[in-house]
Amino acid sequence: MKLIIKNGTIVTSVNEYKADILVEDGIIKEIADRISCDADEVIDAQGKLVFPGGVDEHVHYGSFGALLFDTSDAAAVGGTTTIVDFAPQEEGVSLIDAIKRQEERARGQASVDYAFHSVIMDPKESVFEEIAKLPEVGVTAVKLFMAYKGTSFYSTDESILKAMMIAKEHGITSMVHAENADIITILQKKYKDAGHTEPVYHYYSRPPIAEEEATNRAIYLAKIAECPLYVAHVTVKGAMEAIRDAYEEGYPIYGETCTHYLTLTTDYLAKPDFEGAKWVCAPPLRPKEHNDALWEAVQKGWLKAVGSDHAAVAGGFETKKQGLGDFTKIPNGCPGVQDRLAMLWTQGVCKGRITKQKFVDLFSTTPAKVCGLYPKKGEIAVGSDADFVIYDTEYEGVISNKDSYHQTDYSPYEGWEMKGRPDKVILRGITIAEKGKFVGEKGKGEWQKCKPYALAYDNVPRQ
Ligand code: MN
Ligand code: MN
């Protein structure tokens, strides 16, 4: 099966140039000024941009009460051709079995390619020992939670340090959810005792300083373990600065942020009549000054990638109402895998906050590197998978849940403008989405195995 994409302007994380692309059997075979040969399909990309399909390094399907992989056609429609899910470890289940279970849920269901991070939820010796075996099943990052004390998610500093030390021996990237659990527990009780029930208290009980403290603590732990660290969903200026400063001191400390922390603010949580619950996720949305600091951080490379932290709570707003009368019982998570491109492009590139190259870098190339999927994913080069977004920069519209494939009853970005949209989204040479519609065959995503010693190890010498 041969495909030629003609006359497009290719945008990569470092370049922009006009060229034709020849694809054979789902792989990029040739990139040249002009390609003319027999092909099964020719796509004319005249006047359009061609960039690598998105890699969303932070999504949740089926965990936290989120919808399953059959809803991942939303990723495709939004230009994301690879999703990296967090395989939750249920108590008593080994890390490897947890990954295999999650893979079974994705197989034949996911409409884009998929890979996994491991999540330690049952920290004990046998589990730590298993970290070494993760690369055998194509998983090379492990997430630990500093928050959620009193649940199986929570890890003590001791557990985190142990996990980091083993992870480092095997080229596994340690990731943390950095929020101080005790601060949150105490503040939740304080506000509940004072009779506060509204969703905005989700923010007040998880203040910026709780994230800043935990981020700094994670950095200290990583320094003791002499271990690279990747901080998930950085949302506050102080936490971002701690990561930036540690990196500049020479430590392999990195972080990502997410679409909503760049664009949405605490004001959404404060919407009346419990509507704020729609925007409850953790860490919470922050005041605007933090959004601004995060934009600067992504453009300057202080934070490396932008994930969606997509978690479409099954039942949507109705399910969120479990927290009526008690903001701590609102299920966490917001849909967003479809909107990451539109928000980054419109609010980032079109507003002059990031360049087109930086957009590609944050949306596709660096997430692929972070996950050990590069250069198969995240790049337009000979030998890479033929995953593309053919982007129509002229389109103008607005984000609306009625056009969404998230299969939930609201969009956190309802009414936000869209400048441009994917004209075509191509996965391994096959067009799977066109002009806001999924046109592929559902369930054709393939499992991608992550390689160890990914981006976080770039500056760590190995014996
Ligand atoms: Mn998290
Ligand atoms: Mn998450």
Side-chain angles (χ1 to χ4, degrees), residues 58 60 143 145 148 177 232-233 282-283 309:
H58 192 149
H60 301 276
K143 187 177 178 189
F145 288 82
Y148 303 113
H177 176 126
H233 45 46
D309 205 351

Side-chain angles (χ1 to χ4, degrees), residues 282-336:
L285 297 176
R286 304 301 190 183
K288 188 175 176 298
E289 71 206 70
H290 296 285
N291 299 189
D292 295 341
L294 295 175
W295 276 117
E296 184 184 10
V298 293
Q299 172 57 25
K300 292 189 173 161
W302 301 334
L303 294 176
K304 291 288 164 193
V306 180
S308 69
D309 205 351
H310 174 80
V313 175
F317 188 41
E318 277 311 303
T319 305
K320 293 270 189 179
K321 286 179 184 165
Q322 287 167 6
L324 269 169
D326 182 352
F327 67 90
T328 66
K329 298 210 159 63
I330 302 168
N332 285 359
C334 298

Side-chain angles (χ1 to χ4, degrees), residues 67-126:
L67 293 169
L68 273 160
F69 289 94
D70 60 324
T71 61
S72 61
D73 45 353
V77 174
T80 289
T81 47
T82 304
I83 50 176
V84 190
D85 177 79
F86 288 85
Q89 183 200 16
E90 287 127 54
E91 215 179 316
V93 176
S94 77
L95 289 182
I96 304 279
D97 285 344
I99 290 156
K100 288 181 175 164
R101 280 187 189 187
Q102 192 71 349
E103 202 278 328
E104 278 166 23
R105 289 162 138 183
R107 200 187 312 152
Q109 298 293 316
S111 292
V112 294
D113 285 352
Y114 56 93
F116 299 102
H117 303 303
S118 184
V119 179
I120 293 185
M121 290 172 61
D122 186 13
K124 58 181 183 220
E125 284 311 319
S126 60

Side-chain angles (χ1 to χ4, degrees), residues 211-212 215-216 219 234-244:
E211 182 180 331
E212 209 176 307
T215 304
N216 276 291
I219 293 169
V234 176
T235 77
V236 300
K237 185 170 186 274
M240 175 276 285
E241 288 169 343
I243 292 163
R244 177 195 68 192

